[in-house]
Structures are given as structure tokens and as C-alpha cells.
Amino acid sequence: MSRPTVPDGPGAVESIRAAMESAEHLDEPARWSPRGFRLANLLGAGVLTAFSAWLLLASLSYAFQVGGQPGPGFFPRLVAGLLLVLGLVWFGTTLVRAPDVTGVSEGPPDRPTLVRVVAALAVVTAAAFALMTLGYPLTIAAAVAALALLAAATVRTAVVTGVLFAVTSFLLVTTLLGIQLPLGVLRPFLVFLL
């Protein structure tokens, strides 16, 4: 094994000082660049705008008003419209203003965080496609439990949270609002609630 060389001569102090300063920068957290910050904001605004536009189009198939009362399409249209406006404002301000990253204390997400975000989006997308087949109670219980696990909950906490959220939201929507949610494979067991 070769021994590490120690610089000597007139520039030795400067080279040691430079090496120490570069080692200090290794401990600093990653910082956003203005270009990366703008790109992340444009991407987030684009996803929000596209999702809310899709949600708004999907909600048009439900009645906005039934018998002078808000119908099943009222709340989804209201939420989708507000999200669409927010997405467009976010997109527009990101395009118009140059991002100032000096006041941003949190750096860009690391790889594990990005993996969790992509996994959460996959869970929500899969739940949207499974809703009609599995039904609302099973789909929402599984989706909420999976999202809780991604947020570092224990398995027991995730399962309890998913089941409680699914049962509570199902009963509130079907009894208080009178909106029928898809029962899917649980239809034979829950048909008495309709």
C-alpha cells in the first residue's frame, strides 16, 4: 500500500486549505438551481392542470343539480374548476417570473423521496381504474393503506386508517348526500345500504 502524499513547498498551505474547503462543501445540502426550480414548478403546474382538466371533463357526466339540490356532479365540478384555475395561475406565474431560489431553504428531493412520490401517484392512478371493479370501500381502503405505508406508517396503522377512512367516507356519502358509490365485489353484502 502506498502512503498518502502530503504536499510540501510554497503552495502546500494553499492546497491543504483548498482541500479542506471542498470537503466542507460535501456536508452542505443540495441547493436548487434557478433552471431546475423553474422546471420543477412547470412540471408540477402542468400535472395539476392536466389532472384537474381531466377531472372536470369526467365530472360533466354527473348531474350538477337534482330537484333544486346540488347533484352528484356539483362537488367534483367545483373542486376540479378550482384546481384548474390554481394550476393555470401556477403555470402562468412560473413562466412570467424568474424563480428566486435564494430564499428556498429546502433543496431538491433525493432519490427515495422521488420514488415515494411516483409510487403514490401510481397508487392513486391504480385506485381510479380499480374503483368500478373492486368498488369504493375496498379500493379506498387499499389505496389509503398503501399511501399511509408510503408515509412510513406501520402496517397495523395503515390498515386501520384505510378501513376507517373507507367505511366513514362511504357511509357519509351514501347516507348524508344520497349518492350511490360503486360497490363492486361487495355488492351482494352491502346491497341493503342502497
Side-chain angles (χ1 to χ4, degrees), residues 30-76:
R31 297 280 181 207
W32 282 103
S33 69
R35 185 170 182 252
F37 196 69
R38 173 176 265 174
L39 184 63
N41 277 278
L42 287 175
L43 183 64
V47 168
L48 178 63
T49 303
F51 174 73
S52 55
W54 171 79
L55 188 62
L56 186 62
L57 289 174
S59 69
L60 294 178
S61 62
Y62 297 103
F64 186 74
Q65 195 173 18
V66 176
Q69 298 292 326
F74 176 78
F75 188 69

Side-chain angles (χ1 to χ4, degrees), residues 82-173:
L82 289 173
L83 285 176
L84 183 62
V85 169
L86 288 174
L88 290 172
V89 168
W90 184 12
F91 199 83
T93 53
T94 303
L95 282 176
V96 172
R97 280 196 324 207
D100 180 21
V101 295
T102 55
V104 179
S105 60
E106 188 175 327
D110 56 357
R111 184 174 297 250
T113 303
L114 287 175
V115 168
R116 281 197 308 273
V117 167
V118 171
L121 289 174
V123 166
V124 172
T125 304
F129 285 107
L131 191 62
M132 296 307 289
T133 306
L134 290 178
Y136 180 87
L138 283 180
T139 303
I140 296 304
V144 170
L147 292 173
L149 286 173
L150 287 172
T154 63
V155 173
R156 181 179 175 183
T157 303
V159 170
V160 169
T161 303
V163 170
L164 285 177
F165 183 84
V167 170
T168 305
S169 61
F170 180 79
L171 291 175
L172 284 174
V173 170

Side-chain angles (χ1 to χ4, degrees), residues 165-191:
F165 183 84
V167 170
T168 305
S169 61
F170 180 79
L171 291 175
L172 284 174
V173 170
T174 54
T175 57
L176 289 182
L177 299 178
I179 299 171
Q180 290 186 359
L181 295 171
L183 297 175
V185 295
L186 294 178
R187 176 171 281 284
F189 307 105
L190 299 176
V191 73

